Amino acid sequence: MAESLFIVAILAGLYWCVDKIKSKRLAWFVLFNFVGNGMIKNLIQMPRPFDLGVVKPIRAETATSFSFPSGHTQTATSFWSGAMLVLRTKGMYVMGSCIILLTALSRVYLGVHWPMDVLGGIFFGVIFTLLANKLLGDKGEIRPAHVIGVSIVVLLVMIFKVDADLYKGAAALWGMTCGAYIEQKYIQFEAVQNWRIQLKKILIGFGGLVLIYLILSKVLPAVKIVKMIKYALLLLWITAGAPFIFKKLK
């Protein structure tokens, strides 16, 4: 529940069919945290417990970067603490807190993180979410300043040597930011529709996601710039491409 596929699927469905303002805010929180987490990891470059032979890990394939702070824990914290900020209900406070703590425990149990890593993930998840919320403002609108700021981050990760998680996350944040700005300025689709239209939107939206991912993964070489383009296009499709198709098809 703290991995990219799950989070993207939930946010895309919410954006297309439930509430695009609140889901856009949540997506901003999560991707802002993802990039912030990657920056800290690349600065500290702490090895994981299994890198030092301390434990034998389970699901080591989910450990794709450095150890501190825990990316899964920070992602869970950003998503669920963000949901607490957006919804402010007792049920969300309880459920969100439980999932954050369980995610943190699971990463230690799997042997892919030190206890300090998951504590850091919770701490930075809360701090970066509050900062992201402040930057977005009360209306939750993406402004040109957001696009410019994220574009500068993308240029920096292109220039400097960083791990794949960071440059893919920066590209995804850029795609989401640009797409959301384009949608709110030029497209302005309606999220809430009758169930037949919602089903068509889900089929078109996720069908396009799968198509873009497969085409770019199979046709183009797996180099840094291509990977960045792929993740930027995927988020552009979610935030602007699919909504444009929805609007055109009425």
Side-chain angles (χ1 to χ4, degrees):
M1 293 178 70
E3 293 182 4
S4 300
L5 184 60
F6 175 82
I7 296 292
V8 168
I10 294 295
L11 288 174
L14 291 173
Y15 182 75
W16 293 330
C17 299
V18 181
D19 190 317
K20 64 180 180 181
I21 302 298
K22 290 178 180 177
S23 54
K24 179 170 59 180
R25 185 181 286 275
L26 277 175
W28 169 259
F29 293 164
V30 170
L31 290 170
F32 189 90
N33 268 274
F34 199 93
V35 173
N37 177 269
M39 288 181 174
I40 297 171
K41 281 186 173 183
N42 279 265
L43 284 171
I44 296 177
Q45 298 189 6
M46 180 181 288
R48 293 178 182 267
F50 63 85
D51 290 329
L52 301 179
V54 175
V55 293
K56 183 178 180 180
I58 306 169
R59 296 191 76 230
E61 67 274 9
T62 65
T64 55
S65 182
F66 300 107
S67 193
F68 180 87
S70 166
H72 284 73
T73 306
Q74 189 165 339
T75 297
T77 303
S78 64
F79 183 86
W80 294 103
S81 65
M84 295 176 205
L85 275 175
V86 170
L87 299 177
R88 298 183 184 276
T89 63
K90 184 178 180 180
M92 184 53 66
Y93 289 132
V94 173
M95 183 171 72
S97 298
C98 288
I99 294 176
I100 290 169
L101 291 174
L102 289 171
T103 302
L105 288 171
S106 74
R107 299 306 286 170
V108 177
Y109 169 79
L110 293 172
V112 293
H113 279 293
W114 308 94
M116 181 173 64
D117 298 342
V118 298
L119 291 175
I122 294 173
F123 174 78
F124 286 113
V126 171
I127 295 299
F128 277 91
T129 299
L130 293 174
L131 176 59
N133 187 53
K134 189 73 174 177
L135 289 173
L136 200 57
D138 295 332
K139 294 183 179 179
E141 291 184 351
I142 299 294
R143 299 185 296 275
H146 295 122
V147 177
I148 294 169
V150 174
S151 297
I152 293 171
V153 172
V154 169
L155 287 174
L156 290 174
V157 299
M158 288 176 66
I159 294 170
F160 293 101
K161 185 179 180 181
V162 297
D163 66 25
D165 283 354
L166 177 52
Y167 66 68
K168 289 189 290 188
L173 178 60
W174 184 87
M176 176 264 156
T177 307
C178 292
Y181 180 74
I182 292 168
E183 191 285 324
Q184 70 189 28
K185 191 169 179 65
Y186 301 107
I187 302 172
Q188 299 173 0
F189 81 106
E190 293 292 333
V192 179
Q193 303 284 349
N194 68 61
W195 71 268
R196 291 184 180 86
I197 293 177
Q198 300 293 52
L199 179 59
K200 292 175 183 177
K201 285 159 68 177
I202 290 294
L203 291 174
I204 292 169
F206 284 112
L209 268 181
V210 172
L211 194 62
I212 293 169
Y213 184 84
L214 290 177
I215 289 174
L216 294 181
S217 297
K218 298 294 183 181
V219 174
L220 299 176
V223 296
K224 181 177 180 177
I225 187 64
V226 171
K227 290 180 180 179
M228 291 183 72
I229 291 171
K230 179 171 71 175
Y231 282 89
L233 286 177
L234 288 171
L235 271 294
L236 270 171
W237 168 258
I238 291 173
T239 49
F244 176 76
I245 300 296
F246 301 158
K247 191 79 178 285
K248 284 296 181 182
L249 295 177
K250 302 186 188 301

